[in-house]
């Protein structure tokens, strides 16, 4: 029976198995998807392989689309030249497959040429902006680049400036929008910038705009709508509290109180805010809770082997927080930009490029600075509006003034003010007219090149020319207006106005005024011979001879800003394993004496790709490992702020008056500057070492660099090097020349670390960015008596000030302390430490307090996270800045005299609070002693910001069907969402300017 049972079961299985197999074979799904690159462009010719069914293999068409029938969850292998191979699970919901470029073969713009990314040295970093925009929509070209680019912290490697080039022409980074940009290269080291000459010696940010490709007509559209929400406003005291504390300040100064208890009570009660005003400049009465920004962009591209084209048309508009008067309709900014880039193959050997762009921007506004006034005008000074209804009926003179004024606000108010406040922000916004700032920029550059293979294999020529013209001017209607000051009474048992006093008159000329006109013209030229050839598939030789220069003319400036140099490049690459490069330039500067106007800047670089050695090739751990070192010297005139700094300078225009006889006056001829025929270039000497690596099949990628450079011979007027009689205060005269003297040192490192992993159907990418630098003033001309005051040996961005020792507790404490030379002190004033023991507190007691981070935080950290699941993409970006300090020195903190009182004065010193006070006593007198740089006001500016979060969704192709819309996606994002810092409230608050904001945005993008 046992054997019979087994035979029955076996027979049943043999009978049923073919049916099961047949059922599985028939259970297939149809897969239709688009394969696109990281920029969202479809890729044609991509091979799609099915591991289970070779017969179903296919290739994408010209639109990047493929379709096949396969078993569910079959593995599809995707491959194309220039891209990293990918694998996906077959699914009927599959709509898009994104292929990442093979980073080692992607072309990157460096100085006057493009090289493969895998052949870059570590002193160059690159961001693919068009790829980044697919997950991180940006509104400005360099938005949050500190968190994305190692070595960039607002400047490059600790420097204080950098040169911006857009398609090789010096331009503002703001002149190009992110949707126009293909990639941004950050050239950091001496070898990377040498070919750009003197003006590039502190680094280059090179922005490359998009160009057309060989493909069918493609139209991309993107629209965004967002809202700006203020983070915070300054918190100022109301009228009653201000008056109370102002009385206290006068008592502290030995003066009588100014405000009576009755007056303070009336302002506090709020029963009649027109007679007893308590103006809150940040209330909803004057400001919106938020304001909008909208933008739209259309990109048109395509072409064939003969001609390619790219067009970008964009428009954006943004409003304002002000919500009254002229500001409701005349406080807005608009921008229209149009760009067209064309590439033409004239023959098989000759090509041309023609690029043109126009930017039109208008900023409409009111004729006053509301935010500055909000930080200075005290709340009790005047009521912005005076109600007509409270004017006595029998006051004919006042009623006559009311009937004659042209500015009746909301049909029931006249403009308020006082004799001291005849012009004020409220009256100006209601009746002062409006203005429009207009900016126009026109950019044009063209290039022609030739392939000279028929002369020498690998030889080519290219010449480029660019011209930009930018204008700016303000058109305004400036109206005169009358304001009224009310005289009040309450003899009838209630408040009423017995008299209006008018200041000023209403007048509208109707004339439009033009002011603040300016222009800038840029001319740029380069011509170069290029050589690139690979011999026997092993020896790649590159060479270039380039002449490069630009000139910028600015309105109101006599001498044009010029840069000219002749550069040479020679490079060798053996099987992508050993690299050697030499970059040098003969620089020229008309800022120097004629005999010193030229210098040669040499740089050299060596690199070794260790992963190509036999002992690492084929390693399962190390995919790529490359080390490089670069060194050189750059000559620069960037430390010279003007021309003719090497020559004598005399003037008679503001000399002292003298007379040889009665009634006849003459001016002296005064020397302003001595001559120095030996004035020459400053020098940047540098060594940098870098490394890049990829491990575990791209699971971990990293790059980093260490740099050490010294800028020597910076140009200064060092009075300490000359006798005191070389300079006099009156007459204003000096024979002190400019000399090459100051030396500065910068040492630091940067790195970029990325983890990439596909885990349970989610593609994860986590990136860490770090940039750190230290600076030191290695040489200074100084005459400080005490060693602790010498700037030499300290950071370049050093903050200097006094060290505080609390507050003076009483007069005995003052008598027993060193004399403070900054004015009379009283109990409650800040007490300082006598550093040199001379019993006097003065500037000689100032010490080093910390780094200011003026050129970027000493330590900048970036954190980015990308997660892709099906058609969803999540992106988050964090930015940390550490190691710098700042002073609480704005009018919000340094309060004396008739200043507006902020909330910080609530913690002032009094006899009752002397043990807990954190703010000095109040005073109506000068601010000499308390309000000066000291560690009392110093704070640590460490912060971490959640800079961006975006969630994107691409609709499935099945949803779009066969419509003319080939792709459609939506996204939401937020900018400047969160700040984590001990001083967060201070860092998120602006004083005297528009507030910082968070930005929330919704966007839609489509491909046609």
């Amino acid at each position: 029976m046992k054997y019979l049972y087994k035979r029955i079961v076996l027979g049943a299985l043999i009978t049923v198995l073919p049916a099961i197999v047949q059922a599985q074979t028939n259970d297939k799904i149809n897969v239709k998807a688009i394969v696109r690159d990281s920029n969202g462009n479809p890729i044609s010719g991509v091979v799609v392989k099915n591991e289970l069914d070779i017969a179903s293999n296919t290739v994408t068409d010209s639109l990047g689309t493929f379709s096949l029938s396969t078993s569910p969850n079959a593995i599809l292998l995707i491959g194309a030249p220039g891209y990293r191979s990918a694998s996906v699970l077959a699914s009927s919901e599959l709509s898009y497959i994104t292929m990442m470029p093979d980073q080692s073969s992607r072309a990157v713009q460096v100085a006057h040429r493009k090289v493969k990314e895998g052949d870059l040295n570590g002193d160059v970093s690159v961001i693919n902006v068009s790829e980044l925009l697919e997950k991180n929509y940006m509104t400005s070209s360099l938005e949050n680049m500190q968190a994305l680019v190692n070595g960039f912290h607002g400047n490059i490697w600790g420097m204080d400036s950098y040169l911006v080039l857009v398609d090789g022409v010096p331009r503002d980074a703001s002149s190009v929008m992110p949707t126009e940009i293909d990639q941004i290269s950050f050239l950091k080291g001496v070898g990377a910038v040498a070919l750009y000459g003197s003006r590039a010696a502190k680094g280059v940010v090179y922005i490359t705009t998009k160009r057309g490709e060989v493909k069918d007509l493609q139209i991309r559209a993107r629209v965004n709508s967002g809202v700006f929400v203020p983070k915070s406003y300054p918190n100022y005291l109301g009228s009653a509290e201000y008056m109370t504390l102002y009385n206290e300040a006068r008592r502290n100064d030995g003066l009588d109180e100014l405000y009576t208890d009755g007056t303070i009570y009336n302002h506090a009660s709020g029963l009649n805010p027109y007679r007893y005003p308590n103006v809150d400049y940040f209330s909803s009465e004057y400001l919106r809770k938020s304001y909008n920004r909208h933008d739209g962009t259309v990109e048109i591209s395509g072409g064939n082997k003969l001609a390619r084209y790219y067009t970008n048309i964009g428009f954006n508009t943004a409003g304002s927080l002000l919500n009254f008067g002229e500001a409701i309709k005349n406080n807005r900014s608009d921008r229209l930009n149009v760009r067209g880039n064309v590439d033409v193959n004239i023959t098989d050997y000759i090509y041309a490029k023609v690029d043109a762009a126009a930017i039109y921007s208008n900023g409409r506004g009111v004729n006053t600075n509301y935010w500055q006034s909000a930080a200075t005008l005290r709340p009790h000074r005047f009521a912005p509006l005076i109600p007509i209804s409270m004017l006595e009926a029998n006051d004919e003179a006042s009623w006559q003034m009311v009937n004659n004024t042209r500015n009746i606000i909301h049909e029931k108010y006249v403009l308020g003010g006082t004799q001291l406040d005849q012009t004020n922000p409220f009256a100006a916004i209601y009746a002062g007219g409006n203005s429009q700032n207009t900016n126009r920029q026109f950019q044009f550059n063209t290039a022609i090149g030739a392939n000279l293979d028929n002369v020498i294999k690998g030889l080519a020529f290219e010449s480029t020319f660019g011209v930009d013209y930018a204008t700016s001017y303000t058109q305004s209607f400036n109206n005169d207006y009358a304001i009224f000051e009310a005289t009040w009474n309450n003899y009838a048992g209630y408040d009423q106005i017995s008299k209006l006093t008018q200041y000023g008159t209403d007048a509208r000329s109707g004339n439009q005024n033009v002011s603040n006109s300016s222009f800038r013209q840029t001319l740029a030229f380069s011509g170069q011979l290029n050589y690139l050839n690979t011999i026997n598939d092993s020896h790649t030789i590159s060479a270039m001879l380039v002449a490069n220069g630009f000139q910028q003319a600015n309105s109101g400036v006599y001498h044009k800003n010029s840069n000219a140099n002749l550069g040479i490049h020679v490079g060798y690459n053996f099987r992508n394993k050993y690299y050697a490069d030499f970059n040098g330039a003969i620089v020229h500067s008309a800022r120097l004496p004629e005999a010193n106007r030229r210098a040669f800047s040499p740089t050299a670089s060596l690199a070794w790709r260790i992963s190509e050695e036999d002992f690492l090739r084929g390693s399962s751990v190390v995919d790529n490992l490359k080390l490089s070192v670069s060194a050189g010297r750059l000559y620069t005139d960037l430390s010279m702020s003007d021309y003719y700094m090497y020559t004598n300078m005399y003037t008679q225009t503001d000399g002292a008056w003298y007379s040889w006889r009665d009634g006849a006056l003459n001016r002296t001829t005064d020397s302003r500057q001595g001559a120095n025929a030996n004035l020459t270039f400053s020098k940047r000497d540098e060594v940098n070492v870098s490394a890049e690596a990829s491990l575990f099949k791209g699971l971990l990628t990293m790059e980093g660099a260490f740099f050490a450079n010294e800028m020597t011979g910076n140009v200064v007027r060092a009075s300490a090097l000359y006798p005191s009689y070389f300079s006099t205060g009156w007459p204003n005269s000096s024979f002190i020349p400019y000399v090459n003297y100051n030396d500065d040192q910068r040492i630091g490192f940067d790195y970029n670390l990325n983890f990439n992993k596909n885990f349970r159907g989610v593609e994860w990418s986590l990136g860490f960015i770090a940039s750190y630098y230290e600076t030191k003033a290695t040489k200074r001309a100084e005459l400080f008596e005490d060693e602790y005051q010498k700037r030499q040996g300290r950071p370049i961005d050093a903050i200097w000030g006094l060290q505080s020792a609390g507050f003076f507790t009483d007069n005995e404490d003052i008598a027993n302390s060193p004399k403070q030379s900054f004015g009379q002190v009283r109990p409650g004033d800040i007490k300082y430490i006598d550093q040199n023991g001379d019993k006097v507190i003065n500037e000689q007691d100032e010490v080093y307090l910390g780094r200011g981070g003026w050129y970027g935080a000493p330590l900048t950290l970036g954190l980015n996270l990308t997660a892709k699941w099906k058609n969803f993409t999540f992106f988050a970006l964090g930015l940390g800045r550490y190691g710098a300090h700042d002073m609480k020195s704005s009018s919000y903190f340094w309060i004396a005299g008739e200043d507006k009182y902020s909330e910080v004065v609530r913690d002032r010193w009094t006899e009752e609070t002397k043990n807990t006070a954190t703010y000095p006593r109040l005073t109506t007198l000068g601010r000499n002693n308390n309000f000066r740089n000291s560690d009392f006001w110093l704070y640590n500016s460490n912060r971490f910001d959640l800079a961006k979060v975006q969630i994107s969704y691409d609709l499935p192709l099945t949803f779009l069907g066969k419509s003319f819309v080939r792709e459609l996606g939506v996204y939401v994002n937020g900018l400047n969402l969160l700040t984590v810092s001990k001083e967060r409230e201070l860092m998120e608050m602006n004083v005297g300017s528009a507030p910082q904001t968070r930005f929330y945005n919704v966007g839609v993008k489509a491909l046609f």
Side-chain angles (χ1 to χ4, degrees), residues 236-252 256-269 272-273 275-279 378-383 897-902 905 908 922 924:
Y236 291 102
L237 304 188
S239 295
E241 190 175 8
Y242 166 79
M243 292 176 172
T244 301
L245 296 187
Y246 187 81
N247 281 346
E248 178 186 308
R250 289 180 62 87
R251 293 196 302 270
N252 291 341
D256 295 334
E257 294 184 354
L258 184 63
Y259 303 105
T260 66
D261 290 342
T263 299
I264 295 173
Y265 171 79
N266 287 329
H267 280 275
S269 69
N272 185 355
R275 183 175 185 179
Y276 303 104
N278 182 22
V279 181
R378 290 163 290 170
H380 70 289
R381 287 292 296 266
F382 61 89
E898 305 300 305
D899 293 340
K900 191 172 186 175
Y901 283 12
S902 69
V905 303
R908 70 205 177 278
L922 300 180
T924 61

Side-chain angles (χ1 to χ4, degrees), residues 713-725:
N714 292 312
V715 176
V716 294
R717 293 185 78 181
S719 58
L721 300 178
Y722 298 90
S724 59
Y725 56 78

Side-chain angles (χ1 to χ4, degrees), residues 236 281 368-377 425 891 900 991-994:
Y236 291 102
Y281 287 77
T368 188
N369 187 333
Y370 181 83
W371 305 107
Q372 184 62 48
S373 299
T376 56
L377 290 176
S891 62
K900 191 172 186 175
V991 177
S993 60

Side-chain angles (χ1 to χ4, degrees), residues 362-397:
N362 296 314
R364 298 185 297 276
V366 292
N367 293 333
T368 188
N369 187 333
Y370 181 83
W371 305 107
Q372 184 62 48
S373 299
T376 56
L377 290 176
R378 290 163 290 170
H380 70 289
R381 287 292 296 266
F382 61 89
L385 300 175
I386 297 176
I388 301 172
S389 60
M390 301 186 77
L391 181 62
E392 284 192 65
N394 60 357
D395 184 5
E396 295 182 2

